[in-house]
Short mmCIF file of all heavy atoms in Angstrom, two decimals:
data_model
loop_
_atom_site.label_atom_id
_atom_site.label_comp_id
_atom_site.label_asym_id
_atom_site.label_seq_id
_atom_site.Cartn_x
_atom_site.Cartn_y
_atom_site.Cartn_z
N GLU U 32 -11.47 22.44 -4.17
CA GLU U 32 -11.12 22.84 -5.53
C GLU U 32 -9.64 22.62 -5.80
O GLU U 32 -9.25 22.10 -6.85
CB GLU U 32 -11.47 24.32 -5.74
CG GLU U 32 -11.15 24.83 -7.15
CD GLU U 32 -11.45 26.31 -7.30
OE1 GLU U 32 -11.58 27.01 -6.28
OE2 GLU U 32 -11.56 26.76 -8.46
N TRP U 33 -8.78 23.00 -4.84
CA TRP U 33 -7.33 22.86 -4.99
C TRP U 33 -6.94 21.40 -5.18
O TRP U 33 -6.14 21.06 -6.04
CB TRP U 33 -6.64 23.45 -3.76
CG TRP U 33 -5.15 23.58 -3.85
CD1 TRP U 33 -4.44 24.64 -4.33
CD2 TRP U 33 -4.17 22.61 -3.43
NE1 TRP U 33 -3.09 24.41 -4.24
CE2 TRP U 33 -2.89 23.17 -3.69
CE3 TRP U 33 -4.24 21.34 -2.87
CZ2 TRP U 33 -1.71 22.50 -3.40
CZ3 TRP U 33 -3.06 20.66 -2.58
CH2 TRP U 33 -1.81 21.23 -2.84
N ILE U 34 -7.52 20.51 -4.36
CA ILE U 34 -7.18 19.09 -4.42
C ILE U 34 -7.71 18.45 -5.71
O ILE U 34 -6.98 17.71 -6.39
CB ILE U 34 -7.73 18.35 -3.18
CG1 ILE U 34 -7.07 18.88 -1.91
CG2 ILE U 34 -7.51 16.84 -3.32
CD1 ILE U 34 -7.71 18.39 -0.63
N GLN U 35 -8.96 18.72 -6.04
CA GLN U 35 -9.54 18.10 -7.24
C GLN U 35 -8.82 18.55 -8.51
O GLN U 35 -8.59 17.75 -9.42
CB GLN U 35 -11.03 18.42 -7.34
CG GLN U 35 -11.89 17.64 -6.38
CD GLN U 35 -13.32 17.53 -6.87
OE1 GLN U 35 -13.59 17.11 -8.00
NE2 GLN U 35 -14.27 17.92 -6.02
N GLU U 36 -8.45 19.82 -8.57
CA GLU U 36 -7.78 20.34 -9.76
C GLU U 36 -6.45 19.65 -10.00
O GLU U 36 -6.08 19.36 -11.14
CB GLU U 36 -7.56 21.84 -9.61
CG GLU U 36 -6.86 22.48 -10.81
CD GLU U 36 -6.60 23.97 -10.59
OE1 GLU U 36 -7.25 24.58 -9.71
OE2 GLU U 36 -5.74 24.52 -11.30
N ARG U 37 -5.72 19.34 -8.94
CA ARG U 37 -4.38 18.76 -9.07
C ARG U 37 -4.37 17.23 -9.11
O ARG U 37 -3.43 16.65 -9.65
CB ARG U 37 -3.51 19.26 -7.91
CG ARG U 37 -3.12 20.71 -8.05
CD ARG U 37 -2.68 21.33 -6.74
NE ARG U 37 -2.24 22.73 -6.94
CZ ARG U 37 -3.08 23.74 -7.10
NH1 ARG U 37 -4.39 23.53 -7.07
NH2 ARG U 37 -2.62 24.97 -7.28
N THR U 38 -5.36 16.61 -8.50
CA THR U 38 -5.31 15.15 -8.35
C THR U 38 -6.55 14.41 -8.83
O THR U 38 -6.49 13.21 -9.11
CB THR U 38 -5.09 14.76 -6.88
OG1 THR U 38 -6.27 15.10 -6.12
CG2 THR U 38 -3.89 15.49 -6.29
N GLY U 39 -7.68 15.09 -8.88
CA GLY U 39 -8.94 14.43 -9.21
C GLY U 39 -9.60 13.76 -8.02
O GLY U 39 -10.67 13.17 -8.14
N ILE U 40 -8.98 13.85 -6.84
CA ILE U 40 -9.49 13.17 -5.65
C ILE U 40 -10.57 14.01 -4.96
O ILE U 40 -10.40 15.21 -4.76
CB ILE U 40 -8.35 12.89 -4.65
CG1 ILE U 40 -7.28 12.00 -5.30
CG2 ILE U 40 -8.88 12.25 -3.37
CD1 ILE U 40 -6.00 11.91 -4.49
N LYS U 41 -11.67 13.35 -4.60
CA LYS U 41 -12.75 14.00 -3.85
C LYS U 41 -12.77 13.56 -2.39
O LYS U 41 -13.11 14.34 -1.51
CB LYS U 41 -14.10 13.69 -4.50
CG LYS U 41 -14.24 14.20 -5.93
CD LYS U 41 -15.59 13.83 -6.51
CE LYS U 41 -15.72 14.32 -7.95
NZ LYS U 41 -17.04 13.96 -8.55
N GLU U 42 -12.44 12.29 -2.16
CA GLU U 42 -12.42 11.75 -0.81
C GLU U 42 -11.50 10.54 -0.76
O GLU U 42 -11.08 10.01 -1.79
CB GLU U 42 -13.84 11.36 -0.36
CG GLU U 42 -14.50 10.33 -1.25
CD GLU U 42 -15.97 10.08 -0.90
OE1 GLU U 42 -16.68 11.08 -0.61
OE2 GLU U 42 -16.40 8.91 -0.93
N ARG U 43 -11.21 10.10 0.44
CA ARG U 43 -10.39 8.92 0.64
C ARG U 43 -10.84 8.27 1.95
O ARG U 43 -11.62 8.85 2.72
CB ARG U 43 -8.88 9.24 0.68
CG ARG U 43 -8.37 9.94 1.91
CD ARG U 43 -8.72 11.41 2.01
NE ARG U 43 -8.12 12.22 0.95
CZ ARG U 43 -8.72 13.27 0.42
NH1 ARG U 43 -9.93 13.66 0.84
NH2 ARG U 43 -8.14 13.96 -0.53
N ARG U 44 -10.36 7.05 2.22
CA ARG U 44 -10.69 6.36 3.47
C ARG U 44 -9.48 6.37 4.39
O ARG U 44 -8.35 6.15 3.94
CB ARG U 44 -11.11 4.91 3.19
CG ARG U 44 -12.27 4.76 2.21
CD ARG U 44 -13.56 5.37 2.73
NE ARG U 44 -14.63 5.22 1.76
CZ ARG U 44 -15.54 4.23 1.81
NH1 ARG U 44 -15.48 3.31 2.77
NH2 ARG U 44 -16.49 4.17 0.89
N HIS U 45 -9.74 6.63 5.68
CA HIS U 45 -8.70 6.54 6.70
C HIS U 45 -9.15 5.56 7.77
O HIS U 45 -10.33 5.57 8.15
CB HIS U 45 -8.44 7.90 7.36
CG HIS U 45 -7.66 8.84 6.51
ND1 HIS U 45 -7.38 10.14 6.90
CD2 HIS U 45 -7.06 8.70 5.30
CE1 HIS U 45 -6.66 10.75 5.96
NE2 HIS U 45 -6.46 9.89 4.98
N VAL U 46 -8.24 4.75 8.26
CA VAL U 46 -8.59 3.86 9.38
C VAL U 46 -8.94 4.72 10.59
O VAL U 46 -8.37 5.80 10.79
CB VAL U 46 -7.45 2.90 9.72
CG1 VAL U 46 -7.15 1.97 8.55
CG2 VAL U 46 -6.19 3.65 10.13
N SER U 47 -9.89 4.24 11.38
CA SER U 47 -10.32 5.01 12.54
C SER U 47 -10.30 4.18 13.82
O SER U 47 -10.60 4.69 14.89
CB SER U 47 -11.72 5.59 12.33
OG SER U 47 -12.65 4.54 12.05
N THR U 48 -9.97 2.91 13.70
CA THR U 48 -9.89 2.04 14.88
C THR U 48 -8.59 1.25 14.84
O THR U 48 -7.98 1.08 13.78
CB THR U 48 -11.06 1.03 14.91
OG1 THR U 48 -10.91 0.09 13.83
CG2 THR U 48 -12.40 1.74 14.76
N GLU U 49 -8.19 0.75 16.01
CA GLU U 49 -6.96 -0.05 16.08
C GLU U 49 -7.14 -1.39 15.39
O GLU U 49 -6.15 -2.06 15.06
CB GLU U 49 -6.55 -0.24 17.54
CG GLU U 49 -6.08 1.03 18.22
CD GLU U 49 -5.57 0.79 19.62
OE1 GLU U 49 -5.56 -0.39 20.05
OE2 GLU U 49 -5.17 1.77 20.28
N GLU U 50 -8.39 -1.80 15.20
CA GLU U 50 -8.65 -3.10 14.57
C GLU U 50 -8.25 -3.12 13.10
O GLU U 50 -7.90 -4.16 12.55
CB GLU U 50 -10.14 -3.47 14.71
CG GLU U 50 -10.55 -3.95 16.09
CD GLU U 50 -10.54 -2.84 17.13
OE1 GLU U 50 -10.82 -1.69 16.76
OE2 GLU U 50 -10.22 -3.12 18.30
N ASP U 51 -8.32 -1.95 12.45
CA ASP U 51 -7.93 -1.87 11.04
C ASP U 51 -6.43 -1.67 10.93
O ASP U 51 -5.90 -0.61 11.29
CB ASP U 51 -8.65 -0.71 10.33
CG ASP U 51 -10.02 -1.10 9.81
OD1 ASP U 51 -10.25 -2.30 9.57
OD2 ASP U 51 -10.85 -0.19 9.62
N THR U 52 -5.74 -2.69 10.45
CA THR U 52 -4.30 -2.61 10.23
C THR U 52 -4.02 -3.04 8.80
O THR U 52 -4.90 -3.54 8.09
CB THR U 52 -3.53 -3.54 11.18
OG1 THR U 52 -3.82 -4.90 10.85
CG2 THR U 52 -3.90 -3.27 12.63
N THR U 53 -2.78 -2.85 8.37
CA THR U 53 -2.40 -3.30 7.04
C THR U 53 -2.68 -4.80 6.88
O THR U 53 -3.23 -5.23 5.87
CB THR U 53 -0.91 -3.01 6.79
OG1 THR U 53 -0.70 -1.60 6.83
CG2 THR U 53 -0.46 -3.54 5.44
N THR U 54 -2.34 -5.58 7.89
CA THR U 54 -2.56 -7.02 7.82
C THR U 54 -4.05 -7.36 7.88
O THR U 54 -4.53 -8.15 7.06
CB THR U 54 -1.83 -7.74 8.97
OG1 THR U 54 -0.43 -7.55 8.81
CG2 THR U 54 -2.14 -9.23 8.96
N SER U 55 -4.78 -6.78 8.82
CA SER U 55 -6.19 -7.15 8.98
C SER U 55 -7.00 -6.82 7.74
O SER U 55 -7.88 -7.59 7.33
CB SER U 55 -6.80 -6.47 10.21
OG SER U 55 -7.01 -5.09 10.00
N MET U 56 -6.72 -5.67 7.11
CA MET U 56 -7.44 -5.32 5.89
C MET U 56 -7.08 -6.29 4.77
O MET U 56 -7.94 -6.70 3.99
CB MET U 56 -7.13 -3.88 5.49
CG MET U 56 -7.64 -2.85 6.46
SD MET U 56 -7.63 -1.16 5.80
CE MET U 56 -5.90 -0.95 5.40
N GLY U 57 -5.79 -6.67 4.71
CA GLY U 57 -5.37 -7.64 3.71
C GLY U 57 -6.03 -8.98 3.91
O GLY U 57 -6.43 -9.66 2.95
#
Side-chain angles (χ1 to χ4, degrees):
E32 181 182 18
W33 189 89
I34 296 170
Q35 285 204 53
E36 180 183 341
R37 287 161 177 77
T38 69
I40 300 168
K41 298 179 181 179
E42 59 187 41
R43 73 285 296 145
R44 304 296 180 97
H45 284 177
V46 297
S47 57
T48 68
E49 291 185 2
E50 284 70 32
D51 274 337
T52 67
T53 297
T54 296
S55 73
M56 294 194 301

